[in-house]
Amino acid sequence: MEPKKKKKSRRNFLYHAALVVLPIIYAIFTPLRFRRSGKIPDGKFIICCNHITGHDPFYLAIFHRKRKVCFMAKEELFRNRFLGALIRSVGSFPVSRGNSDRSAIVRAEEVIENGDVLGIFIEGTRSKTGELLKPKAGAALIAYQTNTPILPMCITPCGGTAKILFHRIKVSSGELIQPQELGIVNGTSSELRNAARLVMDRITALREEDLAEFERGKK
């Protein structure tokens, strides 16, 4: 007898409501444009994206509106009872930054096993300037342990700054990075760091393309 396939977790009312209401709000205050460089897979994958504002998870959720995206979020956000409950209700879960959080890794693996999309901001924190920061190796580790491809994505405001109000924003996705492309054989720290840099290089390329397109639009 074949084992039962695990069902993808359902998106609750709050998640659905956000997908309806937020695009209308963003159309007025921060017009979004989406760009896909490659085909978005139907199976499991990990989103790796840069991080500029607290709105970034919503941008990515709208981009992938046909799938539920569960985000790793810094544990500080969950200390507030109301905010923590709100974040959990839309599928996010806490991660302790600055050390190895095994429970967050296990939760991330469960998300993938359940067929949902895992979202990770690879820099580990928001960039105050809009410039890309040094990548963390957590996403590469999870991709290696679960044999899951990574989808590089980039959020780029017009001009590249962290300002978003009344600024156009592009949300772009690149070509899928297969696990074997990461070059991880033994799971060593150096292999994971190199894999993280590879992913960040793809994100950097997306950002440069979007900034160049913004510049062409000004002429």
Side-chain angles (χ1 to χ4, degrees):
M1 181 181 293
E2 293 184 1
K4 282 187 177 181
K5 292 183 178 179
K6 293 187 177 182
K7 292 183 180 180
K8 298 174 184 178
S9 59
R10 294 180 179 180
R11 299 183 294 187
N12 59 23
F13 173 78
L14 187 59
Y15 199 106
H16 280 291
L19 291 180
V20 173
V21 175
L22 288 178
I24 299 172
I25 296 174
Y26 290 142
I28 299 171
F29 295 103
T30 54
L32 299 176
R33 292 185 61 186
F34 301 110
R35 180 170 68 90
R36 294 177 173 85
S37 298
K39 183 180 179 182
I40 305 298
D42 294 324
K44 65 180 184 179
F45 62 95
I46 300 169
I47 293 172
C48 279
C49 188
N50 63 318
H51 197 10
I52 299 176
T53 76
H55 295 264
D56 296 345
F58 301 117
Y59 300 154
L60 298 180
I62 293 169
F63 188 101
H64 296 279
R65 62 187 313 129
K66 293 182 179 180
R67 301 284 299 274
K68 181 177 180 181
V69 184
C70 299
F71 292 95
M72 268 191 178
K74 62 181 181 179
E75 64 175 352
E76 291 86 348
L77 296 176
F78 294 83
R79 292 174 183 170
N80 179 290
R81 179 176 295 182
F82 174 77
L83 180 59
L86 180 64
I87 295 172
R88 288 183 191 277
S89 71
V90 293
S92 295
F93 57 96
V95 59
S96 177
R97 299 180 297 175
N99 54 56
S100 179
D101 188 342
R102 182 59 192 165
S103 62
I105 298 295
V106 171
R107 177 71 183 100
E109 292 174 351
E110 290 175 350
V111 168
I112 294 170
E113 289 173 3
N114 289 338
D116 293 317
V117 178
L118 176 64
I120 295 179
F121 294 107
I122 193 170
E123 298 154 303
T125 188
R126 283 186 282 179
S127 170
K128 295 180 180 179
T129 63
E131 295 295 324
L132 298 179
L133 307 176
K134 183 179 178 181
K136 305 297 183 181
L141 174 63
I142 296 169
Y144 167 65
Q145 292 182 338
T146 60
N147 193 37
T148 302
I150 288 176
L151 182 70
M153 295 194 66
C154 189
I155 297 169
T156 309
C158 183
T161 66
K163 296 178 181 179
I164 61 167
L165 193 61
F166 302 115
H167 279 62
R168 289 174 295 156
I169 292 178
K170 283 195 177 181
V171 184
S172 301
S173 68
E175 297 285 347
L176 206 64
I177 304 172
Q178 297 299 331
Q180 59 269 24
E181 295 180 65
L182 296 174
I184 305 173
V185 178
N186 299 310
T188 63
S189 297
S190 60
E191 288 178 340
L192 293 172
R193 286 194 298 270
N194 289 336
R197 283 193 287 266
L198 183 150
V199 176
M200 184 55 89
D201 286 344
R202 301 289 182 89
I203 294 172
T204 301
L206 291 172
R207 184 175 187 273
E208 290 174 350
E209 290 173 16
D210 289 339
L211 287 174
E213 191 168 322
F214 277 132
E215 284 299 317
R216 289 195 294 271
K218 292 179 181 179
K219 296 179 181 179

